[in-house]
Amino acid sequence: MSDLVPDPLDAARRIGHTLVRVKTGDTVHVPTCPHLSWTTKTMEVTDPAEVARWRLCTACESELSGRGRTRYPDLERAMEALPVPLDNRPMVRELLADHDAELIWIPHSGSYIGAGGPKVRTRYIGKGYVWIDARTHWLPVSGESRGRVGGGRTEPQEVLCPTCQMVLPATRICDTCS
């Protein structure tokens, strides 16, 4: 089944999981796999012979072999590790207030925080966004620069009249010089 994880069932048990698969699928996952974020219809797989018939998801293989995502005990520690800008954290907390994540992690790439579980759809938190059920919620600060505002748009820059140095209106025709 896997060269990196000779006994996936045992590896899953060690981290407190069973293995599951989608009824029509041919891949075995841990219940918190991001590939399962759109389905709640999974079947538990507990028989070693049955596990051997299916292939192990590559993301789950990384996690079970100990080289995948880093787990965090709570959202606060994960936001500190990413790091999510301080100005964004109240909105992240608000957006996830009703979300009872069983697992919080940051993938090896360090590009986002995942919060989910077998009974809860995964939500993704970046430095400047929160992704919930295929909808992106833009946060006030984008992470690296402070030029980003909600919706991914940037603030319009003031343009000065080359003659009198007054701020031009949106028409770009100077009220003073025209």
PDB file of all heavy atoms in Angstrom, residues 120-159:
ATOM      1  N   VAL A 120     -16.708  18.061  10.752  1.00  0.00           N
ATOM      2  CA  VAL A 120     -16.749  19.497  10.481  1.00  0.00           C
ATOM      3  C   VAL A 120     -15.994  19.769   9.186  1.00  0.00           C
ATOM      4  O   VAL A 120     -14.879  19.292   9.003  1.00  0.00           O
ATOM      5  CB  VAL A 120     -16.079  20.290  11.633  1.00  0.00           C
ATOM      6  CG1 VAL A 120     -16.185  21.770  11.393  1.00  0.00           C
ATOM      7  CG2 VAL A 120     -16.681  19.924  12.970  1.00  0.00           C
ATOM      8  N   ARG A 121     -16.588  20.542   8.286  1.00  0.00           N
ATOM      9  CA  ARG A 121     -15.884  20.899   7.052  1.00  0.00           C
ATOM     10  C   ARG A 121     -14.657  21.732   7.370  1.00  0.00           C
ATOM     11  O   ARG A 121     -14.681  22.593   8.245  1.00  0.00           O
ATOM     12  CB  ARG A 121     -16.788  21.700   6.132  1.00  0.00           C
ATOM     13  CG  ARG A 121     -17.792  20.849   5.445  1.00  0.00           C
ATOM     14  CD  ARG A 121     -18.468  21.635   4.372  1.00  0.00           C
ATOM     15  NE  ARG A 121     -19.496  20.797   3.784  1.00  0.00           N
ATOM     16  CZ  ARG A 121     -20.184  21.147   2.734  1.00  0.00           C
ATOM     17  NH1 ARG A 121     -19.973  22.292   2.155  1.00  0.00           N
ATOM     18  NH2 ARG A 121     -21.100  20.346   2.252  1.00  0.00           N
ATOM     19  N   THR A 122     -13.612  21.510   6.609  1.00  0.00           N
ATOM     20  CA  THR A 122     -12.369  22.234   6.824  1.00  0.00           C
ATOM     21  C   THR A 122     -12.517  23.683   6.375  1.00  0.00           C
ATOM     22  O   THR A 122     -13.103  23.970   5.340  1.00  0.00           O
ATOM     23  CB  THR A 122     -11.222  21.561   6.061  1.00  0.00           C
ATOM     24  OG1 THR A 122     -11.103  20.217   6.531  1.00  0.00           O
ATOM     25  CG2 THR A 122      -9.915  22.291   6.270  1.00  0.00           C
ATOM     26  N   ARG A 123     -11.964  24.573   7.194  1.00  0.00           N
ATOM     27  CA  ARG A 123     -11.870  25.995   6.859  1.00  0.00           C
ATOM     28  C   ARG A 123     -10.385  26.329   6.780  1.00  0.00           C
ATOM     29  O   ARG A 123      -9.588  25.760   7.508  1.00  0.00           O
ATOM     30  CB  ARG A 123     -12.572  26.836   7.914  1.00  0.00           C
ATOM     31  CG  ARG A 123     -14.058  26.537   7.911  1.00  0.00           C
ATOM     32  CD  ARG A 123     -14.820  27.330   8.906  1.00  0.00           C
ATOM     33  NE  ARG A 123     -16.238  26.968   8.800  1.00  0.00           N
ATOM     34  CZ  ARG A 123     -17.190  27.581   9.437  1.00  0.00           C
ATOM     35  NH1 ARG A 123     -16.919  28.591  10.234  1.00  0.00           N
ATOM     36  NH2 ARG A 123     -18.434  27.205   9.290  1.00  0.00           N
ATOM     37  N   TYR A 124     -10.055  27.233   5.882  1.00  0.00           N
ATOM     38  CA  TYR A 124      -8.664  27.567   5.655  1.00  0.00           C
ATOM     39  C   TYR A 124      -8.430  29.029   6.008  1.00  0.00           C
ATOM     40  O   TYR A 124      -9.177  29.903   5.576  1.00  0.00           O
ATOM     41  CB  TYR A 124      -8.291  27.299   4.197  1.00  0.00           C
ATOM     42  CG  TYR A 124      -8.470  25.839   3.842  1.00  0.00           C
ATOM     43  CD1 TYR A 124      -9.652  25.379   3.273  1.00  0.00           C
ATOM     44  CD2 TYR A 124      -7.473  24.916   4.116  1.00  0.00           C
ATOM     45  CE1 TYR A 124      -9.828  24.033   2.975  1.00  0.00           C
ATOM     46  CE2 TYR A 124      -7.642  23.579   3.826  1.00  0.00           C
ATOM     47  CZ  TYR A 124      -8.815  23.141   3.252  1.00  0.00           C
ATOM     48  OH  TYR A 124      -8.987  21.812   2.964  1.00  0.00           O
ATOM     49  N   ILE A 125      -7.366  29.279   6.774  1.00  0.00           N
ATOM     50  CA  ILE A 125      -7.039  30.625   7.231  1.00  0.00           C
ATOM     51  C   ILE A 125      -5.666  30.981   6.681  1.00  0.00           C
ATOM     52  O   ILE A 125      -4.677  30.303   6.960  1.00  0.00           O
ATOM     53  CB  ILE A 125      -7.008  30.714   8.772  1.00  0.00           C
ATOM     54  CG1 ILE A 125      -8.365  30.321   9.357  1.00  0.00           C
ATOM     55  CG2 ILE A 125      -6.622  32.103   9.225  1.00  0.00           C
ATOM     56  CD1 ILE A 125      -8.411  28.948   9.934  1.00  0.00           C
ATOM     57  N   GLY A 126      -5.606  32.030   5.884  1.00  0.00           N
ATOM     58  CA  GLY A 126      -4.333  32.538   5.396  1.00  0.00           C
ATOM     59  C   GLY A 126      -3.992  33.809   6.157  1.00  0.00           C
ATOM     60  O   GLY A 126      -4.719  34.221   7.064  1.00  0.00           O
ATOM     61  N   LYS A 127      -2.900  34.434   5.791  1.00  0.00           N
ATOM     62  CA  LYS A 127      -2.514  35.674   6.463  1.00  0.00           C
ATOM     63  C   LYS A 127      -3.504  36.790   6.170  1.00  0.00           C
ATOM     64  O   LYS A 127      -3.696  37.678   6.983  1.00  0.00           O
ATOM     65  CB  LYS A 127      -1.109  36.088   6.043  1.00  0.00           C
ATOM     66  CG  LYS A 127      -0.059  35.137   6.554  1.00  0.00           C
ATOM     67  CD  LYS A 127       1.319  35.557   6.106  1.00  0.00           C
ATOM     68  CE  LYS A 127       2.355  34.568   6.613  1.00  0.00           C
ATOM     69  NZ  LYS A 127       3.690  34.935   6.176  1.00  0.00           N
ATOM     70  N   GLY A 128      -4.166  36.740   5.005  1.00  0.00           N
ATOM     71  CA  GLY A 128      -5.073  37.818   4.629  1.00  0.00           C
ATOM     72  C   GLY A 128      -6.469  37.379   4.238  1.00  0.00           C
ATOM     73  O   GLY A 128      -7.234  38.159   3.684  1.00  0.00           O
ATOM     74  N   TYR A 129      -6.827  36.118   4.514  1.00  0.00           N
ATOM     75  CA  TYR A 129      -8.151  35.631   4.135  1.00  0.00           C
ATOM     76  C   TYR A 129      -8.587  34.476   5.036  1.00  0.00           C
ATOM     77  O   TYR A 129      -7.764  33.854   5.710  1.00  0.00           O
ATOM     78  CB  TYR A 129      -8.160  35.146   2.685  1.00  0.00           C
ATOM     79  CG  TYR A 129      -7.353  33.883   2.502  1.00  0.00           C
ATOM     80  CD1 TYR A 129      -7.952  32.626   2.618  1.00  0.00           C
ATOM     81  CD2 TYR A 129      -5.991  33.925   2.246  1.00  0.00           C
ATOM     82  CE1 TYR A 129      -7.216  31.465   2.483  1.00  0.00           C
ATOM     83  CE2 TYR A 129      -5.243  32.779   2.110  1.00  0.00           C
ATOM     84  CZ  TYR A 129      -5.854  31.541   2.231  1.00  0.00           C
ATOM     85  OH  TYR A 129      -5.120  30.397   2.105  1.00  0.00           O
ATOM     86  N   VAL A 130      -9.878  34.208   5.025  1.00  0.00           N
ATOM     87  CA  VAL A 130     -10.438  32.991   5.607  1.00  0.00           C
ATOM     88  C   VAL A 130     -11.340  32.400   4.540  1.00  0.00           C
ATOM     89  O   VAL A 130     -12.176  33.105   3.974  1.00  0.00           O
ATOM     90  CB  VAL A 130     -11.242  33.273   6.897  1.00  0.00           C
ATOM     91  CG1 VAL A 130     -11.891  31.996   7.412  1.00  0.00           C
ATOM     92  CG2 VAL A 130     -10.358  33.892   7.965  1.00  0.00           C
ATOM     93  N   TRP A 131     -11.155  31.118   4.243  1.00  0.00           N
ATOM     94  CA  TRP A 131     -11.945  30.439   3.223  1.00  0.00           C
ATOM     95  C   TRP A 131     -12.907  29.498   3.916  1.00  0.00           C
ATOM     96  O   TRP A 131     -12.498  28.589   4.629  1.00  0.00           O
ATOM     97  CB  TRP A 131     -11.023  29.684   2.290  1.00  0.00           C
ATOM     98  CG  TRP A 131     -11.687  29.132   1.073  1.00  0.00           C
ATOM     99  CD1 TRP A 131     -11.917  29.782  -0.098  1.00  0.00           C
ATOM    100  CD2 TRP A 131     -12.188  27.809   0.887  1.00  0.00           C
ATOM    101  NE1 TRP A 131     -12.527  28.949  -0.994  1.00  0.00           N
ATOM    102  CE2 TRP A 131     -12.712  27.727  -0.412  1.00  0.00           C
ATOM    103  CE3 TRP A 131     -12.247  26.685   1.704  1.00  0.00           C
ATOM    104  CZ2 TRP A 131     -13.281  26.570  -0.919  1.00  0.00           C
ATOM    105  CZ3 TRP A 131     -12.828  25.530   1.201  1.00  0.00           C
ATOM    106  CH2 TRP A 131     -13.327  25.496  -0.098  1.00  0.00           C
ATOM    107  N   ILE A 132     -14.217  29.760   3.731  1.00  0.00           N
ATOM    108  CA  ILE A 132     -15.253  28.956   4.365  1.00  0.00           C
ATOM    109  C   ILE A 132     -16.262  28.550   3.296  1.00  0.00           C
ATOM    110  O   ILE A 132     -16.877  29.414   2.655  1.00  0.00           O
ATOM    111  CB  ILE A 132     -15.978  29.751   5.469  1.00  0.00           C
ATOM    112  CG1 ILE A 132     -14.983  30.215   6.533  1.00  0.00           C
ATOM    113  CG2 ILE A 132     -17.101  28.926   6.084  1.00  0.00           C
ATOM    114  CD1 ILE A 132     -15.579  31.197   7.537  1.00  0.00           C
ATOM    115  N   ASP A 133     -16.439  27.261   3.109  1.00  0.00           N
ATOM    116  CA  ASP A 133     -17.444  26.739   2.171  1.00  0.00           C
ATOM    117  C   ASP A 133     -17.412  27.433   0.812  1.00  0.00           C
ATOM    118  O   ASP A 133     -18.419  27.947   0.332  1.00  0.00           O
ATOM    119  CB  ASP A 133     -18.843  26.836   2.780  1.00  0.00           C
ATOM    120  CG  ASP A 133     -19.001  25.944   4.003  1.00  0.00           C
ATOM    121  OD1 ASP A 133     -18.305  24.918   4.073  1.00  0.00           O
ATOM    122  OD2 ASP A 133     -19.799  26.280   4.881  1.00  0.00           O
ATOM    123  N   ALA A 134     -16.235  27.471   0.195  1.00  0.00           N
ATOM    124  CA  ALA A 134     -16.020  28.031  -1.138  1.00  0.00           C
ATOM    125  C   ALA A 134     -16.240  29.540  -1.208  1.00  0.00           C
ATOM    126  O   ALA A 134     -16.431  30.102  -2.279  1.00  0.00           O
ATOM    127  CB  ALA A 134     -16.893  27.331  -2.175  1.00  0.00           C
ATOM    128  N   ARG A 135     -16.188  30.208  -0.085  1.00  0.00           N
ATOM    129  CA  ARG A 135     -16.315  31.668  -0.071  1.00  0.00           C
ATOM    130  C   ARG A 135     -15.103  32.259   0.642  1.00  0.00           C
ATOM    131  O   ARG A 135     -14.775  31.855   1.747  1.00  0.00           O
ATOM    132  CB  ARG A 135     -17.594  32.076   0.645  1.00  0.00           C
ATOM    133  CG  ARG A 135     -17.806  33.565   0.619  1.00  0.00           C
ATOM    134  CD  ARG A 135     -19.197  33.945   1.062  1.00  0.00           C
ATOM    135  NE  ARG A 135     -19.243  35.394   1.146  1.00  0.00           N
ATOM    136  CZ  ARG A 135     -19.748  36.056   2.145  1.00  0.00           C
ATOM    137  NH1 ARG A 135     -20.292  35.420   3.158  1.00  0.00           N
ATOM    138  NH2 ARG A 135     -19.735  37.364   2.162  1.00  0.00           N
ATOM    139  N   THR A 136     -14.472  33.235   0.021  1.00  0.00           N
ATOM    140  CA  THR A 136     -13.301  33.885   0.596  1.00  0.00           C
ATOM    141  C   THR A 136     -13.731  35.137   1.341  1.00  0.00           C
ATOM    142  O   THR A 136     -14.423  35.986   0.793  1.00  0.00           O
ATOM    143  CB  THR A 136     -12.282  34.263  -0.497  1.00  0.00           C
ATOM    144  OG1 THR A 136     -11.937  33.073  -1.215  1.00  0.00           O
ATOM    145  CG2 THR A 136     -11.030  34.872   0.107  1.00  0.00           C
ATOM    146  N   HIS A 137     -13.317  35.224   2.587  1.00  0.00           N
ATOM    147  CA  HIS A 137     -13.535  36.421   3.409  1.00  0.00           C
ATOM    148  C   HIS A 137     -12.176  37.114   3.514  1.00  0.00           C
ATOM    149  O   HIS A 137     -11.253  36.562   4.116  1.00  0.00           O
ATOM    150  CB  HIS A 137     -14.036  36.042   4.805  1.00  0.00           C
ATOM    151  CG  HIS A 137     -15.314  35.263   4.789  1.00  0.00           C
ATOM    152  ND1 HIS A 137     -16.542  35.859   4.904  1.00  0.00           N
ATOM    153  CD2 HIS A 137     -15.539  33.935   4.640  1.00  0.00           C
ATOM    154  CE1 HIS A 137     -17.477  34.936   4.846  1.00  0.00           C
ATOM    155  NE2 HIS A 137     -16.900  33.753   4.683  1.00  0.00           N
ATOM    156  N   TRP A 138     -12.057  38.289   2.925  1.00  0.00           N
ATOM    157  CA  TRP A 138     -10.793  39.012   2.954  1.00  0.00           C
ATOM    158  C   TRP A 138     -10.634  39.701   4.301  1.00  0.00           C
ATOM    159  O   TRP A 138     -11.576  40.281   4.829  1.00  0.00           O
ATOM    160  CB  TRP A 138     -10.710  40.021   1.818  1.00  0.00           C
ATOM    161  CG  TRP A 138     -10.671  39.338   0.489  1.00  0.00           C
ATOM    162  CD1 TRP A 138     -11.681  39.255  -0.420  1.00  0.00           C
ATOM    163  CD2 TRP A 138      -9.585  38.598  -0.057  1.00  0.00           C
ATOM    164  NE1 TRP A 138     -11.284  38.516  -1.504  1.00  0.00           N
ATOM    165  CE2 TRP A 138      -9.998  38.096  -1.308  1.00  0.00           C
ATOM    166  CE3 TRP A 138      -8.299  38.305   0.389  1.00  0.00           C
ATOM    167  CZ2 TRP A 138      -9.176  37.321  -2.117  1.00  0.00           C
ATOM    168  CZ3 TRP A 138      -7.473  37.543  -0.421  1.00  0.00           C
ATOM    169  CH2 TRP A 138      -7.909  37.064  -1.658  1.00  0.00           C
ATOM    170  N   LEU A 139      -9.437  39.635   4.836  1.00  0.00           N
ATOM    171  CA  LEU A 139      -9.124  40.245   6.128  1.00  0.00           C
ATOM    172  C   LEU A 139      -8.526  41.626   5.913  1.00  0.00           C
ATOM    173  O   LEU A 139      -8.012  41.927   4.832  1.00  0.00           O
ATOM    174  CB  LEU A 139      -8.165  39.342   6.904  1.00  0.00           C
ATOM    175  CG  LEU A 139      -8.710  37.925   7.170  1.00  0.00           C
ATOM    176  CD1 LEU A 139      -7.628  37.040   7.767  1.00  0.00           C
ATOM    177  CD2 LEU A 139      -9.932  37.967   8.064  1.00  0.00           C
ATOM    178  N   PRO A 140      -8.549  42.491   6.927  1.00  0.00           N
ATOM    179  CA  PRO A 140      -8.085  43.878   6.763  1.00  0.00           C
ATOM    180  C   PRO A 140      -6.631  44.010   6.328  1.00  0.00           C
ATOM    181  O   PRO A 140      -6.290  44.898   5.558  1.00  0.00           O
ATOM    182  CB  PRO A 140      -8.269  44.502   8.139  1.00  0.00           C
ATOM    183  CG  PRO A 140      -9.211  43.616   8.856  1.00  0.00           C
ATOM    184  CD  PRO A 140      -9.091  42.250   8.248  1.00  0.00           C
ATOM    185  N   VAL A 141      -5.758  43.118   6.772  1.00  0.00           N
ATOM    186  CA  VAL A 141      -4.327  43.201   6.450  1.00  0.00           C
ATOM    187  C   VAL A 141      -3.950  41.946   5.690  1.00  0.00           C
ATOM    188  O   VAL A 141      -4.288  40.842   6.101  1.00  0.00           O
ATOM    189  CB  VAL A 141      -3.478  43.333   7.737  1.00  0.00           C
ATOM    190  CG1 VAL A 141      -2.001  43.380   7.410  1.00  0.00           C
ATOM    191  CG2 VAL A 141      -3.892  44.550   8.535  1.00  0.00           C
ATOM    192  N   SER A 142      -3.218  42.101   4.586  1.00  0.00           N
ATOM    193  CA  SER A 142      -2.908  40.948   3.746  1.00  0.00           C
ATOM    194  C   SER A 142      -1.715  40.127   4.195  1.00  0.00           C
ATOM    195  O   SER A 142      -1.413  39.130   3.600  1.00  0.00           O
ATOM    196  CB  SER A 142      -2.667  41.409   2.315  1.00  0.00           C
ATOM    197  OG  SER A 142      -1.451  42.101   2.241  1.00  0.00           O
ATOM    198  N   GLY A 143      -1.017  40.519   5.206  1.00  0.00           N
ATOM    199  CA  GLY A 143       0.111  39.720   5.675  1.00  0.00           C
ATOM    200  C   GLY A 143       1.431  40.408   5.432  1.00  0.00           C
ATOM    201  O   GLY A 143       2.055  40.889   6.346  1.00  0.00           O
ATOM    202  N   GLU A 144       1.858  40.470   4.193  1.00  0.00           N
ATOM    203  CA  GLU A 144       3.161  41.050   3.894  1.00  0.00           C
ATOM    204  C   GLU A 144       3.103  42.560   3.765  1.00  0.00           C
ATOM    205  O   GLU A 144       4.014  43.254   4.135  1.00  0.00           O
ATOM    206  CB  GLU A 144       3.736  40.441   2.617  1.00  0.00           C
ATOM    207  CG  GLU A 144       3.988  38.949   2.740  1.00  0.00           C
ATOM    208  CD  GLU A 144       4.922  38.598   3.888  1.00  0.00           C
ATOM    209  OE1 GLU A 144       5.906  39.311   4.122  1.00  0.00           O
ATOM    210  OE2 GLU A 144       4.656  37.604   4.570  1.00  0.00           O
ATOM    211  N   SER A 145       2.021  43.068   3.170  1.00  0.00           N
ATOM    212  CA  SER A 145       1.943  44.513   3.022  1.00  0.00           C
ATOM    213  C   SER A 145       0.624  45.010   3.588  1.00  0.00           C
ATOM    214  O   SER A 145      -0.315  44.264   3.725  1.00  0.00           O
ATOM    215  CB  SER A 145       2.044  44.904   1.540  1.00  0.00           C
ATOM    216  OG  SER A 145       0.794  44.746   0.913  1.00  0.00           O
ATOM    217  N   ARG A 146       0.557  46.265   3.909  1.00  0.00           N
ATOM    218  CA  ARG A 146      -0.665  46.814   4.474  1.00  0.00           C
ATOM    219  C   ARG A 146      -1.515  47.500   3.408  1.00  0.00           C
ATOM    220  O   ARG A 146      -2.479  48.152   3.708  1.00  0.00           O
ATOM    221  CB  ARG A 146      -0.331  47.804   5.587  1.00  0.00           C
ATOM    222  CG  ARG A 146       0.296  47.120   6.762  1.00  0.00           C
ATOM    223  CD  ARG A 146       0.524  48.112   7.874  1.00  0.00           C
ATOM    224  NE  ARG A 146       0.602  47.408   9.116  1.00  0.00           N
ATOM    225  CZ  ARG A 146      -0.431  47.163   9.913  1.00  0.00           C
ATOM    226  NH1 ARG A 146      -1.627  47.576   9.600  1.00  0.00           N
ATOM    227  NH2 ARG A 146      -0.266  46.513  11.043  1.00  0.00           N
ATOM    228  N   GLY A 147      -1.158  47.336   2.123  1.00  0.00           N
ATOM    229  CA  GLY A 147      -1.889  48.005   1.060  1.00  0.00           C
ATOM    230  C   GLY A 147      -3.189  47.328   0.676  1.00  0.00           C
ATOM    231  O   GLY A 147      -3.986  47.889  -0.031  1.00  0.00           O
ATOM    232  N   ARG A 148      -3.401  46.124   1.135  1.00  0.00           N
ATOM    233  CA  ARG A 148      -4.578  45.358   0.759  1.00  0.00           C
ATOM    234  C   ARG A 148      -5.758  45.711   1.637  1.00  0.00           C
ATOM    235  O   ARG A 148      -5.628  45.873   2.827  1.00  0.00           O
ATOM    236  CB  ARG A 148      -4.246  43.883   0.925  1.00  0.00           C
ATOM    237  CG  ARG A 148      -5.315  42.957   0.538  1.00  0.00           C
ATOM    238  CD  ARG A 148      -4.908  42.315  -0.773  1.00  0.00           C
ATOM    239  NE  ARG A 148      -5.832  41.280  -1.098  1.00  0.00           N
ATOM    240  CZ  ARG A 148      -5.493  40.016  -1.185  1.00  0.00           C
ATOM    241  NH1 ARG A 148      -4.281  39.635  -0.952  1.00  0.00           N
ATOM    242  NH2 ARG A 148      -6.383  39.143  -1.521  1.00  0.00           N
ATOM    243  N   VAL A 149      -6.915  45.829   1.035  1.00  0.00           N
ATOM    244  CA  VAL A 149      -8.148  46.038   1.791  1.00  0.00           C
ATOM    245  C   VAL A 149      -9.130  44.953   1.387  1.00  0.00           C
ATOM    246  O   VAL A 149      -8.864  44.181   0.483  1.00  0.00           O
ATOM    247  CB  VAL A 149      -8.757  47.445   1.546  1.00  0.00           C
ATOM    248  CG1 VAL A 149      -7.830  48.515   2.053  1.00  0.00           C
ATOM    249  CG2 VAL A 149      -9.090  47.667   0.090  1.00  0.00           C
ATOM    250  N   GLY A 150     -10.275  44.892   2.039  1.00  0.00           N
ATOM    251  CA  GLY A 150     -11.261  43.853   1.779  1.00  0.00           C
ATOM    252  C   GLY A 150     -11.511  43.604   0.308  1.00  0.00           C
ATOM    253  O   GLY A 150     -11.528  44.518  -0.496  1.00  0.00           O
ATOM    254  N   GLY A 151     -11.689  42.337  -0.037  1.00  0.00           N
ATOM    255  CA  GLY A 151     -11.991  41.968  -1.412  1.00  0.00           C
ATOM    256  C   GLY A 151     -10.773  41.907  -2.309  1.00  0.00           C
ATOM    257  O   GLY A 151     -10.881  41.678  -3.490  1.00  0.00           O
ATOM    258  N   GLY A 152      -9.594  42.122  -1.776  1.00  0.00           N
ATOM    259  CA  GLY A 152      -8.389  42.037  -2.569  1.00  0.00           C
ATOM    260  C   GLY A 152      -8.111  43.266  -3.405  1.00  0.00           C
ATOM    261  O   GLY A 152      -7.218  43.275  -4.216  1.00  0.00           O
ATOM    262  N   ARG A 153      -8.906  44.308  -3.229  1.00  0.00           N
ATOM    263  CA  ARG A 153      -8.688  45.533  -3.999  1.00  0.00           C
ATOM    264  C   ARG A 153      -7.704  46.432  -3.246  1.00  0.00           C
ATOM    265  O   ARG A 153      -7.585  46.379  -2.052  1.00  0.00           O
ATOM    266  CB  ARG A 153     -10.012  46.255  -4.186  1.00  0.00           C
ATOM    267  CG  ARG A 153     -10.999  45.438  -5.017  1.00  0.00           C
ATOM    268  CD  ARG A 153     -12.336  46.119  -5.089  1.00  0.00           C
ATOM    269  NE  ARG A 153     -12.955  46.279  -3.792  1.00  0.00           N
ATOM    270  CZ  ARG A 153     -13.674  45.346  -3.173  1.00  0.00           C
ATOM    271  NH1 ARG A 153     -13.839  44.179  -3.716  1.00  0.00           N
ATOM    272  NH2 ARG A 153     -14.225  45.582  -2.007  1.00  0.00           N
ATOM    273  N   THR A 154      -7.043  47.315  -3.969  1.00  0.00           N
ATOM    274  CA  THR A 154      -6.146  48.271  -3.326  1.00  0.00           C
ATOM    275  C   THR A 154      -6.809  49.631  -3.298  1.00  0.00           C
ATOM    276  O   THR A 154      -7.681  49.933  -4.105  1.00  0.00           O
ATOM    277  CB  THR A 154      -4.801  48.372  -4.080  1.00  0.00           C
ATOM    278  OG1 THR A 154      -5.065  48.729  -5.423  1.00  0.00           O
ATOM    279  CG2 THR A 154      -4.048  47.051  -4.023  1.00  0.00           C
ATOM    280  N   GLU A 155      -6.388  50.451  -2.371  1.00  0.00           N
ATOM    281  CA  GLU A 155      -6.913  51.812  -2.262  1.00  0.00           C
ATOM    282  C   GLU A 155      -6.497  52.601  -3.501  1.00  0.00           C
ATOM    283  O   GLU A 155      -5.368  52.477  -3.976  1.00  0.00           O
ATOM    284  CB  GLU A 155      -6.329  52.508  -1.022  1.00  0.00           C
ATOM    285  CG  GLU A 155      -6.824  51.947   0.284  1.00  0.00           C
ATOM    286  CD  GLU A 155      -8.262  52.337   0.568  1.00  0.00           C
ATOM    287  OE1 GLU A 155      -8.812  53.229  -0.115  1.00  0.00           O
ATOM    288  OE2 GLU A 155      -8.848  51.737   1.461  1.00  0.00           O
ATOM    289  N   PRO A 156      -7.398  53.418  -4.067  1.00  0.00           N
ATOM    290  CA  PRO A 156      -6.995  54.236  -5.212  1.00  0.00           C
ATOM    291  C   PRO A 156      -5.938  55.257  -4.792  1.00  0.00           C
ATOM    292  O   PRO A 156      -6.002  55.790  -3.697  1.00  0.00           O
ATOM    293  CB  PRO A 156      -8.294  54.928  -5.640  1.00  0.00           C
ATOM    294  CG  PRO A 156      -9.253  54.757  -4.524  1.00  0.00           C
ATOM    295  CD  PRO A 156      -8.778  53.618  -3.688  1.00  0.00           C
ATOM    296  N   GLN A 157      -4.972  55.462  -5.663  1.00  0.00           N
ATOM    297  CA  GLN A 157      -3.911  56.411  -5.385  1.00  0.00           C
ATOM    298  C   GLN A 157      -4.336  57.805  -5.845  1.00  0.00           C
ATOM    299  O   GLN A 157      -4.973  57.945  -6.879  1.00  0.00           O
ATOM    300  CB  GLN A 157      -2.626  56.006  -6.115  1.00  0.00           C
ATOM    301  CG  GLN A 157      -2.091  54.664  -5.671  1.00  0.00           C
ATOM    302  CD  GLN A 157      -1.629  54.692  -4.237  1.00  0.00           C
ATOM    303  OE1 GLN A 157      -0.966  55.620  -3.810  1.00  0.00           O
ATOM    304  NE2 GLN A 157      -1.997  53.683  -3.463  1.00  0.00           N
ATOM    305  N   GLU A 158      -3.995  58.814  -5.066  1.00  0.00           N
ATOM    306  CA  GLU A 158      -4.294  60.184  -5.468  1.00  0.00           C
ATOM    307  C   GLU A 158      -3.350  60.574  -6.609  1.00  0.00           C
ATOM    308  O   GLU A 158      -2.164  60.288  -6.574  1.00  0.00           O
ATOM    309  CB  GLU A 158      -4.099  61.135  -4.299  1.00  0.00           C
ATOM    310  CG  GLU A 158      -5.086  60.913  -3.178  1.00  0.00           C
ATOM    311  CD  GLU A 158      -4.898  61.915  -2.047  1.00  0.00           C
ATOM    312  OE1 GLU A 158      -3.798  62.473  -1.909  1.00  0.00           O
ATOM    313  OE2 GLU A 158      -5.869  62.120  -1.323  1.00  0.00           O
ATOM    314  N   VAL A 159      -3.932  61.202  -7.618  1.00  0.00           N
ATOM    315  CA  VAL A 159      -3.149  61.678  -8.753  1.00  0.00           C
ATOM    316  C   VAL A 159      -3.180  63.198  -8.707  1.00  0.00           C
ATOM    317  O   VAL A 159      -4.240  63.808  -8.557  1.00  0.00           O
ATOM    318  CB  VAL A 159      -3.726  61.156 -10.093  1.00  0.00           C
ATOM    319  CG1 VAL A 159      -2.935  61.700 -11.270  1.00  0.00           C
ATOM    320  CG2 VAL A 159      -3.746  59.636 -10.098  1.00  0.00           C
TER     321      VAL A 159
END
